[in-house]
């Protein structure tokens, strides 16, 4: 993440943070220490001015790649962020892909639910469309 800081001017850009704070995934080497922050708060600190929205990190790739619309309902893709306008744009994008997209609040509370060991991490849920 720190290597990305200087790649561009991040101010005003929407960044969809799909990361989890693994120290290394292959081979597994634990978690990267982000202190008291959530992983997305840490990402936001390294991308000054970026409008960070956490999304698509709780699903395994095969669930993201597949059509999220099923006879039983739509695959849930949670999102969270501190910028209301950026969240609206990301929610619209997720909806256009076919996901049901519940807003979990800010990067602190919502990000904590979605990150490694969070209550919603690796939960593959379908939301029934009724009405």
């Amino acid at each position: 993440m720190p290597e990305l800081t200087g790649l561009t001017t991040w101010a005003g850009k929407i960044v969809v943070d799909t990361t989890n704070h693994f120290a290394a995934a292959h081979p597994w080497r634990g978690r990267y220490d982000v202190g008291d922050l959530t992983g997305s708060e840490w990402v936001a600190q390294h991308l000054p001015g970026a409008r960070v929205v956490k999304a698509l990190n709780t699903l395994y790739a095969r669930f993201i790649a597949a059509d999220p619309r099923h006879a039983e309902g739509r695959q849930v893709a949670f999102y969270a962020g501190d910028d209301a306008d950026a969240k609206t744009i990301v929610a619209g994008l997720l909806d256009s892909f076919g996901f049901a997209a519940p807003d979990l609040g800010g990067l602190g509370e919502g990000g904590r639910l979605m990150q490694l060991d969070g209550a919603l991490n690796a939960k593959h849920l379908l939301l029934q469309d009724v009405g």
Side-chain angles (χ1 to χ4, degrees):
M1 203 52 238
E3 293 83 15
L4 298 178
T5 301
L7 287 180
T8 187
T9 302
W10 294 102
K13 293 182 179 168
I14 296 173
V15 174
V16 179
D17 175 20
T18 64
T19 66
N20 286 301
H21 56 287
F22 293 111
H26 301 290
W28 166 253
R29 291 191 207 135
R31 289 166 179 75
Y32 190 81
D33 184 9
V34 295
D36 292 334
L37 301 173
T38 64
S40 291
E41 290 171 318
W42 185 85
V43 166
Q45 279 190 347
H46 286 83
L47 304 178
R51 300 161 65 195
V52 176
V53 178
K54 181 74 156 182
L56 297 173
N57 72 302
T58 64
L59 301 171
Y60 293 109
R62 70 176 183 262
F63 291 98
I64 296 170
D67 188 342
R69 295 167 291 245
H70 306 272
E72 300 82 13
R74 292 183 296 149
Q75 179 72 46
V76 171
F78 299 106
Y79 69 97
D82 295 334
D83 182 302
D85 292 334
K87 286 188 347 178
T88 298
I89 291 167
V90 171
L93 184 62
L94 293 170
D95 184 64
S96 74
F97 293 156
F99 290 101
D103 181 351
L104 297 179
L107 291 179
E109 63 276 6
R112 200 161 310 285
L113 289 169
M114 296 181 344
Q115 71 184 16
L116 296 175
D117 293 330
L120 299 175
N121 188 264
K123 300 291 190 274
H124 301 281
L125 308 170
L126 295 178
L127 181 67
Q128 292 181 331
D129 293 316
V130 294

